[in-house]
Amino acid sequence: MSPETRDAVFGGESLARIAALAEVDTDVLVTDFGAPDPVLRRMLAEAEVLVTGWGCPPLDRAALRRMPRLEAVVHAAGSVKHHITGACWERDIQVSTAAAANALPVAEYTVAAILFANKRVLEGAHAYRRSRQRVNLLDGFPTVGNFRRTVGLVGASRIGRRVIELLRPFDVRILVHDPYLSARDARELGVEQSGLDSLVSRSDVVSLHAPELPATRRMFDAARLSLMPDGATLINTARGSLVDTDALTKEVRTGRLHAVLDHTEPEVLPADSPLFDLPNVLLTPHLAGSIGGELHRLADSAADELERYTQGLTFRHRVDPDALHHSA
């Protein structure tokens, strides 16, 4: 992993716990599996488990040849697609991810965004700031609130399912579109399955939790955005590529739709993008995922998985290579 990742994610307590579970030098970081350093080459040759994070280089065949004893990779972050290659699965290397831990703050952000969107908090704050006096709520906000609102979730992912769980205390109807969600799972989750266009046209808030795949690229284009009811809100904490940025910009500039965007395409918008200044758009800098103290949850997850490995148990959050084609 990168030095920045180690310093941000792994505090002294988690490093001490890992050191108690395995023979490890917690000061050694690998940022290049091909580095000529003889000490590093010797350590890689002896490695049985790698603890990885953001900034890990690809574990391709050349890298794996330097690690003949490698049995497992414990990833202290979400997606493993950036560094786990087909060569890992050919070697039958076990891979664990902390995606479940990283899903928690994203789901919390999403639920806050849903509740604030239906309550029109951002719009109300702007109105109050402009007037600097009492706002006539009955006239200005006659239809706000979360009571009996419809929330549409695109993707029953780890994050999507956590959002469903966190929304249970609220009087909202939840629609879900996910081609991999079974009718039985939908019943157990207490949600209504829906086709995507039907979900979009019936929801007061649409929240995206689908992975970045060729099939999901710009799934929210001009035609699909036009199906959203007037005054509806689009929330994107997934990937910017799921939304046609130009099409969304045109919609929100009219004031017809609202948006909460933690991901955009490009990831950093041009400085002159209207999305920065529109009163009906909340734009955040990839803030929903684990940051600050939340990062230590990822370290705890990695340590938990390493402990299971030392006990001969299977990983609790083992990555299934057959599921990677439809997951993040």
Side-chain angles (χ1 to χ4, degrees), residues 182-255:
S182 69
R184 177 180 178 179
D185 284 347
R187 287 193 301 271
E188 291 179 353
L189 290 169
V191 300
E192 177 184 336
Q193 286 180 290
S194 175
L196 182 55
D197 287 346
S198 175
L199 177 149
V200 169
S201 65
R202 291 192 290 157
S203 297
D204 300 292
V205 176
V206 175
S207 187
L208 306 186
H209 305 289
E212 183 177 43
L213 304 169
T216 61
R217 178 166 180 78
R218 295 192 177 180
M219 64 192 304
F220 276 76
D221 55 12
R224 186 151 286 134
L225 290 168
S226 71
L227 299 177
M228 296 181 67
D230 292 353
T233 299
L234 179 70
I235 299 173
N236 189 6
T237 60
R239 287 292 182 264
S241 65
L242 274 59
V243 179
D244 183 330
T245 302
D246 290 339
L248 178 62
T249 300
K250 289 177 182 177
E251 284 280 13
V252 294
R253 288 187 81 169
T254 69

Side-chain angles (χ1 to χ4, degrees), residues 22-85:
E23 270 186 49
V24 60
D25 186 338
T26 55
D27 291 328
V28 173
L29 291 175
V30 181
T31 57
D32 179 4
F33 290 124
D37 181 346
V39 175
L40 186 60
R41 290 170 66 95
R42 176 182 56 78
M43 295 183 74
L44 288 174
E46 296 174 355
E48 183 178 348
V49 179
L50 291 182
V51 177
T52 62
W54 295 299
C56 181
L59 280 160
D60 54 20
R61 287 186 178 87
L64 292 179
R65 279 197 293 270
R66 293 173 175 263
M67 293 173 272
R69 296 186 58 202
L70 187 67
E71 297 285 342
V73 177
V74 176
H75 190 47
S79 177
V80 301
K81 289 183 177 181
H82 301 99
H83 65 298
I84 297 298
T85 70

Side-chain angles (χ1 to χ4, degrees), residues 135-218:
V135 176
N136 190 323
L137 298 178
L138 293 179
D139 287 343
F141 301 90
T143 61
V144 306
N146 286 284
F147 183 56
R148 292 180 179 170
R149 291 291 188 173
T150 299
V151 175
L153 304 180
V154 181
S157 60
R158 292 182 181 90
I159 298 169
R161 291 173 185 242
R162 180 62 174 167
V163 170
I164 292 168
E165 182 181 348
L166 293 176
L167 283 174
R168 286 203 178 106
F170 301 97
D171 292 312
V172 295
R173 178 188 190 188
I174 302 176
L175 310 179
V176 175
H177 171 75
D178 189 322
Y180 298 96
L181 179 67
S182 69
R184 177 180 178 179
D185 284 347
R187 287 193 301 271
E188 291 179 353
L189 290 169
V191 300
E192 177 184 336
Q193 286 180 290
S194 175
L196 182 55
D197 287 346
S198 175
L199 177 149
V200 169
S201 65
R202 291 192 290 157
S203 297
D204 300 292
V205 176
V206 175
S207 187
L208 306 186
H209 305 289
E212 183 177 43
L213 304 169
T216 61
R217 178 166 180 78
R218 295 192 177 180

